[in-house]
PDB file of all heavy atoms in Angstrom:
ATOM      1  N   ALA A  32     -24.117  -7.179 164.151  1.00 88.00           N
ATOM      2  CA  ALA A  32     -24.314  -5.775 163.788  1.00 88.00           C
ATOM      3  C   ALA A  32     -23.745  -5.389 162.430  1.00 88.00           C
ATOM      4  O   ALA A  32     -24.347  -4.585 161.726  1.00 88.00           O
ATOM      5  CB  ALA A  32     -23.707  -4.875 164.857  1.00 88.00           C
ATOM      6  N   ILE A  33     -22.578  -5.914 162.047  1.00 93.00           N
ATOM      7  CA  ILE A  33     -21.914  -5.437 160.834  1.00 93.00           C
ATOM      8  C   ILE A  33     -21.800  -6.518 159.766  1.00 93.00           C
ATOM      9  O   ILE A  33     -22.218  -6.342 158.640  1.00 93.00           O
ATOM     10  CB  ILE A  33     -20.497  -4.907 161.164  1.00 93.00           C
ATOM     11  CG1 ILE A  33     -20.582  -3.707 162.092  1.00 93.00           C
ATOM     12  CG2 ILE A  33     -19.740  -4.549 159.892  1.00 93.00           C
ATOM     13  CD1 ILE A  33     -19.246  -3.247 162.620  1.00 93.00           C
ATOM     14  N   GLY A  34     -21.215  -7.607 160.140  1.00 94.00           N
ATOM     15  CA  GLY A  34     -20.928  -8.679 159.208  1.00 94.00           C
ATOM     16  C   GLY A  34     -19.617  -9.310 159.604  1.00 94.00           C
ATOM     17  O   GLY A  34     -19.222  -9.253 160.772  1.00 94.00           O
ATOM     18  N   LEU A  35     -18.919  -9.887 158.635  1.00 95.00           N
ATOM     19  CA  LEU A  35     -17.650 -10.523 158.957  1.00 95.00           C
ATOM     20  C   LEU A  35     -16.627 -10.300 157.854  1.00 95.00           C
ATOM     21  O   LEU A  35     -16.976 -10.037 156.708  1.00 95.00           O
ATOM     22  CB  LEU A  35     -17.833 -12.001 159.271  1.00 95.00           C
ATOM     23  CG  LEU A  35     -18.611 -12.870 158.287  1.00 95.00           C
ATOM     24  CD1 LEU A  35     -17.689 -13.476 157.255  1.00 95.00           C
ATOM     25  CD2 LEU A  35     -19.309 -13.963 159.059  1.00 95.00           C
ATOM     26  N   MET A  36     -15.366 -10.387 158.236  1.00 96.00           N
ATOM     27  CA  MET A  36     -14.250 -10.182 157.324  1.00 96.00           C
ATOM     28  C   MET A  36     -13.683 -11.540 156.925  1.00 96.00           C
ATOM     29  O   MET A  36     -13.611 -12.462 157.750  1.00 96.00           O
ATOM     30  CB  MET A  36     -13.146  -9.357 157.973  1.00 96.00           C
ATOM     31  CG  MET A  36     -13.630  -8.058 158.552  1.00 96.00           C
ATOM     32  SD  MET A  36     -14.505  -7.063 157.352  1.00 96.00           S
ATOM     33  CE  MET A  36     -14.179  -5.462 157.969  1.00 96.00           C
ATOM     34  N   VAL A  37     -13.259 -11.622 155.666  1.00 97.00           N
ATOM     35  CA  VAL A  37     -12.787 -12.876 155.106  1.00 97.00           C
ATOM     36  C   VAL A  37     -11.430 -12.646 154.440  1.00 97.00           C
ATOM     37  O   VAL A  37     -11.282 -11.717 153.636  1.00 97.00           O
ATOM     38  CB  VAL A  37     -13.795 -13.416 154.058  1.00 97.00           C
ATOM     39  CG1 VAL A  37     -13.293 -14.697 153.411  1.00 97.00           C
ATOM     40  CG2 VAL A  37     -15.172 -13.627 154.694  1.00 97.00           C
ATOM     41  N   ASP A  38     -10.468 -13.497 154.760  1.00 96.00           N
ATOM     42  CA  ASP A  38      -9.178 -13.476 154.076  1.00 96.00           C
ATOM     43  C   ASP A  38      -9.359 -14.261 152.788  1.00 96.00           C
ATOM     44  O   ASP A  38      -9.652 -15.456 152.815  1.00 96.00           O
ATOM     45  CB  ASP A  38      -8.104 -14.123 154.954  1.00 96.00           C
ATOM     46  CG  ASP A  38      -6.728 -14.150 154.296  1.00 96.00           C
ATOM     47  OD1 ASP A  38      -6.608 -13.811 153.095  1.00 96.00           O
ATOM     48  OD2 ASP A  38      -5.766 -14.528 154.983  1.00 96.00           O
ATOM     49  N   VAL A  39      -9.191 -13.580 151.662  1.00 93.00           N
ATOM     50  CA  VAL A  39      -9.348 -14.225 150.356  1.00 93.00           C
ATOM     51  C   VAL A  39      -8.001 -14.547 149.721  1.00 93.00           C
ATOM     52  O   VAL A  39      -7.930 -14.892 148.546  1.00 93.00           O
ATOM     53  CB  VAL A  39     -10.231 -13.371 149.407  1.00 93.00           C
ATOM     54  CG1 VAL A  39     -11.658 -13.315 149.929  1.00 93.00           C
ATOM     55  CG2 VAL A  39      -9.671 -11.969 149.226  1.00 93.00           C
ATOM     56  N   GLY A  40      -6.942 -14.432 150.520  1.00 87.00           N
ATOM     57  CA  GLY A  40      -5.629 -14.867 150.066  1.00 87.00           C
ATOM     58  C   GLY A  40      -4.860 -13.853 149.246  1.00 87.00           C
ATOM     59  O   GLY A  40      -3.751 -14.136 148.805  1.00 87.00           O
ATOM     60  N   GLN A  41      -5.424 -12.692 149.018  1.00 80.00           N
ATOM     61  CA  GLN A  41      -4.738 -11.652 148.268  1.00 80.00           C
ATOM     62  C   GLN A  41      -5.081 -10.306 148.888  1.00 80.00           C
ATOM     63  O   GLN A  41      -5.798 -10.244 149.880  1.00 80.00           O
ATOM     64  CB  GLN A  41      -5.122 -11.720 146.794  1.00 80.00           C
ATOM     65  CG  GLN A  41      -4.680 -13.048 146.175  1.00 80.00           C
ATOM     66  CD  GLN A  41      -4.817 -13.063 144.685  1.00 80.00           C
ATOM     67  OE1 GLN A  41      -4.703 -12.048 144.031  1.00 80.00           O
ATOM     68  NE2 GLN A  41      -5.061 -14.237 144.135  1.00 80.00           N
ATOM     69  N   GLU A  42      -4.610  -9.247 148.290  1.00 77.00           N
ATOM     70  CA  GLU A  42      -4.661  -7.922 148.906  1.00 77.00           C
ATOM     71  C   GLU A  42      -6.049  -7.432 149.298  1.00 77.00           C
ATOM     72  O   GLU A  42      -6.222  -6.847 150.352  1.00 77.00           O
ATOM     73  CB  GLU A  42      -4.000  -6.900 147.982  1.00 77.00           C
ATOM     74  CG  GLU A  42      -3.817  -5.572 148.657  1.00 77.00           C
ATOM     75  CD  GLU A  42      -2.976  -4.647 147.823  1.00 77.00           C
ATOM     76  OE1 GLU A  42      -2.129  -5.113 147.068  1.00 77.00           O
ATOM     77  OE2 GLU A  42      -3.204  -3.437 147.942  1.00 77.00           O
ATOM     78  N   ALA A  43      -7.055  -7.619 148.489  1.00 79.00           N
ATOM     79  CA  ALA A  43      -8.383  -7.101 148.826  1.00 79.00           C
ATOM     80  C   ALA A  43      -8.945  -7.831 150.041  1.00 79.00           C
ATOM     81  O   ALA A  43      -8.680  -9.007 150.267  1.00 79.00           O
ATOM     82  CB  ALA A  43      -9.327  -7.267 147.645  1.00 79.00           C
ATOM     83  N   GLU A  44      -9.736  -7.104 150.826  1.00 90.00           N
ATOM     84  CA  GLU A  44     -10.382  -7.676 152.001  1.00 90.00           C
ATOM     85  C   GLU A  44     -11.754  -8.205 151.603  1.00 90.00           C
ATOM     86  O   GLU A  44     -12.509  -7.530 150.906  1.00 90.00           O
ATOM     87  CB  GLU A  44     -10.530  -6.561 153.037  1.00 90.00           C
ATOM     88  CG  GLU A  44     -11.294  -6.953 154.272  1.00 90.00           C
ATOM     89  CD  GLU A  44     -11.400  -5.768 155.214  1.00 90.00           C
ATOM     90  OE1 GLU A  44     -12.069  -4.782 154.856  1.00 90.00           O
ATOM     91  OE2 GLU A  44     -10.805  -5.852 156.286  1.00 90.00           O
ATOM     92  N   GLY A  45     -12.093  -9.407 152.036  1.00 95.00           N
ATOM     93  CA  GLY A  45     -13.416  -9.948 151.792  1.00 95.00           C
ATOM     94  C   GLY A  45     -14.364  -9.510 152.892  1.00 95.00           C
ATOM     95  O   GLY A  45     -13.968  -9.395 154.055  1.00 95.00           O
ATOM     96  N   PHE A  46     -15.614  -9.226 152.553  1.00 96.00           N
ATOM     97  CA  PHE A  46     -16.602  -8.786 153.532  1.00 96.00           C
ATOM     98  C   PHE A  46     -17.946  -9.430 153.230  1.00 96.00           C
ATOM     99  O   PHE A  46     -18.390  -9.447 152.080  1.00 96.00           O
ATOM    100  CB  PHE A  46     -16.756  -7.261 153.503  1.00 96.00           C
ATOM    101  CG  PHE A  46     -17.801  -6.751 154.451  1.00 96.00           C
ATOM    102  CD1 PHE A  46     -17.564  -6.718 155.814  1.00 96.00           C
ATOM    103  CD2 PHE A  46     -19.038  -6.324 153.980  1.00 96.00           C
ATOM    104  CE1 PHE A  46     -18.536  -6.256 156.695  1.00 96.00           C
ATOM    105  CE2 PHE A  46     -20.012  -5.860 154.854  1.00 96.00           C
ATOM    106  CZ  PHE A  46     -19.755  -5.829 156.218  1.00 96.00           C
TER     107      PHE A  46
END
Side-chain angles (χ1 to χ4, degrees):
I33 297 172
L35 51 90
M36 307 305 209
V37 177
D38 179 352
V39 293
Q41 297 190 30
E42 190 171 331
E44 175 181 66
F46 178 74

